[in-house]
Amino acid sequence: MTEKRLSRRRAIGIAGAGVAGVGIAGVTGAALRGAFDPPLSAGASPSDAVDFHGEHQAGITTEVPDRLHFVAFDVVTKDRARLVELLQDWTAAAARMTAGQDAGVIGAVNGSPEAPPDDTGEALSLPPSGLTLTVGFGPSLFRDADGRDRFGLAERRPAALADLPRFPGEALRPEISGGDLCVQACANDPQVAVHAIRNLARIGMGVVSVRWSQLGFGRTSSTSRDQATPRNLFGFKDGTANLKIEDTALLREQLWVQPGDGPEWMTGGAYLVTRKIRMIIETWDRTSLGEQEELVGRAKGSGAPLGQHDEFDPINLKATGPDDRPRITETAHVRLAHPDQNNGARLLRRGYNYVDGSDGLGRLDAGLFFIAYQRDPRRQFVPIQTQLARHDGLNEYLRHVSSGLFACPPGVREPGDFWGRALFD
Amino acid sequence: MTEKRLSRRRAIGIAGAGVAGVGIAGVTGAALRGAFDPPLSAGASPSDAVDFHGEHQAGITTEVPDRLHFVAFDVVTKDRARLVELLQDWTAAAARMTAGQDAGVIGAVNGSPEAPPDDTGEALSLPPSGLTLTVGFGPSLFRDADGRDRFGLAERRPAALADLPRFPGEALRPEISGGDLCVQACANDPQVAVHAIRNLARIGMGVVSVRWSQLGFGRTSSTSRDQATPRNLFGFKDGTANLKIEDTALLREQLWVQPGDGPEWMTGGAYLVTRKIRMIIETWDRTSLGEQEELVGRAKGSGAPLGQHDEFDPINLKATGPDDRPRITETAHVRLAHPDQNNGARLLRRGYNYVDGSDGLGRLDAGLFFIAYQRDPRRQFVPIQTQLARHDGLNEYLRHVSSGLFACPPGVREPGDFWGRALFD
């Protein structure tokens, strides 16, 4: 075991062995409090920890680690104060966990050795693993499906958080769509991402209830030019033309909510759209390479736009082939999604591949969990997806089965502040 | 991108860019054949490839990598020759993929550029990642639920492959249990494990159909003393007392089928039992640390047996505490599963944690995908599980929802040989 793998607190291990011999009756509060104290910083290697505090939430432009656990919650209390308290508790736990610590200190909250541990334990001894936790507020938090303003937030709903229109061909399942709150956990180790979501759900017991949750692997986008472009389950490079952290001016223009865009509490935040896109991979796998490349508009191997040679060569929508047909057809995915076809609109994507077992019809239940951050979905995701839903040749191999829309507030600037404070002020 | 990440063939990338410009009409067979040729060994770094050929199948005692994709298939043909051909094709593809190559060479099989690629592409440029592929034959392959001997194998069914009895409390879902064939894919990268299963399913189209499939992360056992013991979703170290590759004599006695045990075709193989064990983690998380430790029989932090100090200290079932009660209670998991309580029976476990989203009732659908290899389930898994199902205090927090039983034949000794050849000879 390397020193790096010791960064989560080890005290529980040592003290745990010490108290084990006396059995349940002999466990003392003092021993347990000691066991669950925060680790000495000397023992921690923060090298793969991502800063939790900052102007923006981590997990948006942060380099995309390979594993995802995304969860949407319903708020089950009607008590605004309890919701605020939860956001405070979550923020404290998120700051701890992203630093490679446990979710909570047992003695501090429960005060009794007979109480359940304040951390579930499965990430003990695992390093921070690049964990980021990003929170978002769904439209139903502001006004629910029955039109109720449960938390006195209806007037603070941003216009940009407008319900998405119905797109042609989508087959959304309501039970895995929407949600009052969401948390996106990204990490290099799925055990660390799952641990974080599970502990937030545990802390939220009685206040929130898990509505749906999705695991992902094999990120399908890069948010930095330092990251190689990964492949989706169509076998193609995905995210070549993504907004990247190096695009400073574009990030201001396309990603971060600016002063004057809407309610001030969202300034520095971003809007998140999630779409679970089932891929009919068995049909795709019977399609010829040439047709696959024509549908996408890129070469499968290199990722180069058709008519070009390198992955990052610009897409030339006007180029024609020897037969005078456009090299990138009218229904090619890269043409329809291109900023030139969408008033310059772009997205910061950080989606993941998923496999959820099989579908009972002899096929793998697999596809893309699409995640896109943006400044205003009305000018970005909605027009782009409208184009794609109408014309994309890939639609034959796709089905949108889940949809989510969330307002992700700006970052937590310092300890003591909490997720979404300005919304509740 | 490091050299190690280039070990899968890159030719598709280079040639792909070259042919992209001419569009689908201009793609030539020669260009594609070139594009999909096997990589030069000079470009490959086999450092994290596991040998496919050998006396035993890889993926049993092989050190456990962190990710799993397990699939069970139904055979949908009645044609024995097609089944044999599939096993031959699968073996060839498995040998390629575990070496970090693609599943197949496009020109060689299909012979036409308008044919679908013989590899789906999503693992291009990824290293072998410790991939192992392990095949097994279910009882229904020998005689199906309607009593039919579809492939003339009924007389070759080993007595040890006896249907598992019904255990108290289990809530098995038939649609995610059983199967004629199984393949276990373990790898350090889930994209590599998923790619392998997806391509075997693709190759098997028309011969087999996916019955169920399970992803796992965070292995819950070690098979080598070099590996640290990981934690399950109860937060406890799991697999401390597992059979390990260093236990040479025990592996002969407890794991590998020996000459004379049954039909000769299984000599050198092992029997596999899978159980998907849902954990009711929300209830568990409300249980006190002391009670959790009493139910398991180990300290949560260190993993030490209660009454001992270190994880690997022997379990003393006779020790009593100051109150004269047994330190490890009569219903503690480690007591009931202990070899001394089960005629010396042991298992080689290599299970994984899973999260399958949520259950529609506000809870994560999470638990343990239990995988155990053994010489004879009638003397090993069945008596141990009978004890556990009757008495284990953990049962309150567990539910067995899927079960699988498979005869895993010996290894493929050399190229040209194939999985299960001796069964069909």
Side-chain angles (χ1 to χ4, degrees):
Chain A
M1 189 178 278
T2 65
E3 191 162 305
K4 196 172 173 186
R5 295 185 65 82
L6 295 179
S7 59
R8 267 168 221 269
R9 110 178 52 137
R10 302 178 65 203
I12 181 180
I14 298 154
V19 301
V22 297
I24 182 168
V27 171
T28 70
L32 269 171
R33 263 191 296 281
F36 283 85
D37 272 347
L40 298 174
S41 58
S45 160
S47 59
D48 63 352
V50 175
D51 273 348
F52 178 73
H53 297 100
E55 181 184 358
H56 307 296
Q57 287 195 71
I60 300 177
T61 56
T62 311
E63 226 175 71
V64 192
D66 273 357
R67 318 289 171 240
L68 169 78
H69 192 183
F70 190 97
V71 66
F73 293 100
D74 289 327
V75 180
V76 295
T77 183
K78 289 174 186 161
D79 183 342
R80 177 179 162 127
R82 286 194 72 190
L83 173 59
V84 170
E85 198 184 339
L86 174 67
L87 289 167
Q88 291 167 335
D89 292 345
W90 270 4
T91 305
R96 292 181 61 85
M97 291 191 288
T98 54
Q101 299 168 4
D102 297 335
V105 181
I106 187 168
V109 177
N110 292 296
S112 156
E114 270 83 38
D118 259 4
D119 182 88
T120 55
E122 69 271 25
L124 277 169
S125 87
L126 299 179
S129 307
L131 175 68
T132 58
L133 293 165
T134 312
V135 79
F137 304 129
S140 53
L141 190 71
F142 299 85
R143 196 179 287 282
D144 71 12
D146 299 326
R148 288 175 304 185
D149 179 10
R150 289 173 291 167
F151 307 108
L153 298 173
E155 297 199 350
R156 313 204 75 180
R157 177 173 173 173
L161 193 71
D163 292 320
L164 299 179
R166 192 170 145 55
F167 297 104
E170 67 185 10
L172 303 184
R173 294 170 47 200
E175 71 277 16
I176 56 169
S177 296
D180 294 333
L181 299 171
C182 76
V183 181
Q184 168 197 279
C186 298
N188 288 308
D189 184 334
Q191 184 109 347
V192 169
V194 163
H195 168 264
I197 295 295
R198 184 243 192 112
N199 278 275
L200 295 180
R202 181 183 56 75
I203 291 168
M205 221 174 273
V207 183
V208 292
S209 166
V210 174
R211 181 176 174 87
W212 53 274
S213 130
Q214 181 66 49
L215 263 69
F217 63 90
R219 64 189 170 83
T220 58
S221 296
S222 303
T223 57
S224 157
R225 301 205 194 288
D226 290 340
Q227 282 189 303
T229 311
R231 290 178 184 272
N232 61 29
L233 292 183
F234 282 156
F236 277 74
K237 291 190 181 184
D238 200 336
T240 298
N242 202 22
L243 273 183
K244 303 230 164 76
I245 193 166
E246 293 86 354
D247 305 323
T248 323
L250 275 173
L251 293 186
R252 261 197 311 276
E253 181 189 308
Q254 302 272 341
L255 177 63
W256 302 122
V257 175
Q258 300 294 319
D261 277 0
E264 194 50 34
W265 67 266
M266 266 299 285
T267 299
Y271 296 92
L272 164 61
V273 173
T274 66
R275 305 284 285 188
K276 183 170 179 174
I277 306 175
R278 168 90 189 266
M279 290 174 165
I280 318 300
I281 58 173
E282 291 76 9
T283 315
W284 179 257
D285 288 347
R286 281 180 293 218
T287 307
S288 75
L289 177 66
E291 188 173 344
Q292 290 183 6
E293 293 186 335
E294 188 173 296
L295 287 163
V296 173
R298 290 185 180 275
K300 189 161 191 173
S302 65
L306 295 185
Q308 308 285 355
H309 292 276
D310 294 317
E311 181 192 345
F312 293 100
D313 284 346
I315 295 174
N316 181 348
L317 297 175
K318 302 202 175 101
T320 51
D323 55 359
D324 286 334
R325 291 173 55 218
R327 284 195 168 166
I328 294 178
T329 70
E330 295 301 325
T331 58
H333 184 80
V334 297
R335 175 185 292 275
L336 297 164
H338 195 279
D340 288 357
Q341 306 287 305
N342 294 285
N343 277 319
R346 302 183 63 173
L347 299 165
L348 185 131
R349 286 171 288 148
R350 45 185 301 139
Y352 285 83
N353 299 323
Y354 75 83
V355 175
D356 285 353
S358 55
D359 68 356
L361 300 170
R363 300 178 302 200
L364 292 177
D365 184 356
L368 171 66
F369 188 72
F370 172 92
I371 294 177
Y373 289 92
Q374 58 216 282
R375 185 172 165 191
D376 189 339
R378 297 170 300 174
R379 293 187 294 104
Q380 295 170 274
F381 177 76
V382 171
I384 296 171
Q385 182 55 26
T386 301
Q387 282 261 28
L388 292 171
R390 285 187 186 146
H391 305 300
D392 190 351
L394 286 176
N395 288 336
E396 190 179 338
Y397 307 93
L398 296 177
R399 189 158 305 126
H400 287 235
V401 296
S402 143
S403 181
L405 172 68
F406 302 94
C408 301
V412 173
R413 295 232 177 205
E414 56 206 302
D417 192 6
F418 65 92
W419 270 333
R421 183 183 46 72
L423 170 60
F424 291 92
D425 267 355
Chain B
M1 188 177 278
T2 65
E3 192 162 307
K4 197 172 174 188
R5 296 186 65 84
L6 296 177
S7 58
R8 268 167 222 268
R9 107 177 54 136
R10 303 178 64 203
I12 181 181
I14 299 153
V19 301
V22 296
I24 181 169
V27 172
T28 68
L32 270 170
R33 263 190 297 281
F36 283 85
D37 273 347
L40 299 174
S41 57
S45 160
S47 60
D48 64 350
V50 175
D51 273 348
F52 177 75
H53 297 100
E55 181 185 358
H56 307 297
Q57 287 195 73
I60 300 177
T61 56
T62 310
E63 225 176 71
V64 191
D66 273 357
R67 318 290 171 238
L68 168 80
H69 193 183
F70 190 97
V71 65
F73 293 101
D74 288 328
V75 180
V76 294
T77 182
K78 289 174 184 160
D79 183 340
R80 176 178 165 128
R82 286 193 71 192
L83 174 59
V84 170
E85 200 184 338
L86 174 66
L87 290 167
Q88 291 167 334
D89 292 347
W90 270 4
T91 305
R96 293 180 60 85
M97 292 191 288
T98 53
Q101 299 168 4
D102 297 335
V105 181
I106 188 168
V109 178
N110 294 297
S112 157
E114 270 82 38
D118 259 5
D119 182 88
T120 54
E122 69 271 24
L124 277 169
S125 87
L126 300 179
S129 307
L131 175 68
T132 57
L133 293 164
T134 313
V135 79
F137 305 129
S140 53
L141 190 72
F142 299 86
R143 196 179 289 282
D144 70 13
D146 299 326
R148 289 174 305 185
D149 179 11
R150 290 171 291 167
F151 307 108
L153 297 173
E155 296 198 350
R156 313 204 76 179
R157 176 173 175 174
L161 193 70
D163 292 320
L164 298 179
R166 193 171 145 53
F167 297 103
E170 67 185 11
L172 303 184
R173 295 171 46 200
E175 72 277 16
I176 55 168
S177 296
D180 294 334
L181 299 170
C182 77
V183 181
Q184 168 198 278
C186 299
N188 288 308
D189 184 333
Q191 184 109 344
V192 169
V194 163
H195 169 265
I197 294 297
R198 183 240 192 117
N199 277 275
L200 295 180
R202 183 183 55 76
I203 291 168
M205 221 174 272
V207 183
V208 292
S209 167
V210 173
R211 181 176 174 86
W212 54 273
S213 128
Q214 181 66 49
L215 262 69
F217 62 89
R219 63 188 171 81
T220 57
S221 297
S222 303
T223 58
S224 156
R225 301 207 194 285
D226 291 339
Q227 282 188 303
T229 311
R231 290 179 185 271
N232 61 30
L233 292 183
F234 282 155
F236 277 75
K237 292 191 181 184
D238 199 336
T240 298
N242 202 22
L243 272 182
K244 302 229 164 79
I245 194 166
E246 294 86 354
D247 304 323
T248 323
L250 275 174
L251 293 186
R252 260 198 311 276
E253 182 188 306
Q254 302 271 341
L255 177 64
W256 302 121
V257 175
Q258 301 294 318
D261 276 359
E264 193 51 31
W265 67 266
M266 265 299 285
T267 299
Y271 295 92
L272 164 62
V273 173
T274 66
R275 306 284 284 189
K276 183 171 179 172
I277 306 175
R278 168 89 188 267
M279 289 173 166
I280 316 302
I281 59 173
E282 291 77 8
T283 315
W284 179 256
D285 288 347
R286 281 181 292 217
T287 307
S288 74
L289 178 66
E291 188 172 344
Q292 290 183 6
E293 293 186 334
E294 186 173 297
L295 287 164
V296 173
R298 289 184 181 275
K300 190 161 190 173
S302 64
L306 296 184
Q308 308 285 355
H309 291 276
D310 295 315
E311 181 192 346
F312 293 100
D313 284 346
I315 294 173
N316 182 350
L317 297 176
K318 302 201 175 101
T320 51
D323 55 359
D324 284 336
R325 291 173 56 218
R327 284 198 168 162
I328 295 179
T329 69
E330 296 300 326
T331 57
H333 184 79
V334 297
R335 176 186 292 275
L336 296 165
H338 195 278
D340 288 357
Q341 307 287 305
N342 294 284
N343 275 320
R346 303 185 60 173
L347 299 166
L348 184 131
R349 285 172 289 148
R350 46 185 300 139
Y352 286 83
N353 298 324
Y354 76 85
V355 174
D356 284 355
S358 55
D359 68 357
L361 299 171
R363 301 178 302 201
L364 292 176
D365 185 357
L368 171 67
F369 189 72
F370 172 92
I371 295 178
Y373 289 93
Q374 58 217 286
R375 185 172 165 190
D376 189 339
R378 297 170 300 174
R379 293 188 293 104
Q380 295 168 273
F381 176 77
V382 172
I384 295 171
Q385 182 54 26
T386 300
Q387 282 260 28
L388 291 172
R390 285 189 188 146
H391 305 298
D392 190 350
L394 286 176
N395 289 337
E396 190 179 339
Y397 306 93
L398 295 176
R399 190 159 304 125
H400 287 235
V401 295
S402 143
S403 180
L405 172 68
F406 302 95
C408 301
V412 173
R413 295 234 177 204
E414 56 206 300
D417 192 5
F418 65 93
W419 271 333
R421 182 183 48 72
L423 170 60
F424 292 92
D425 266 355

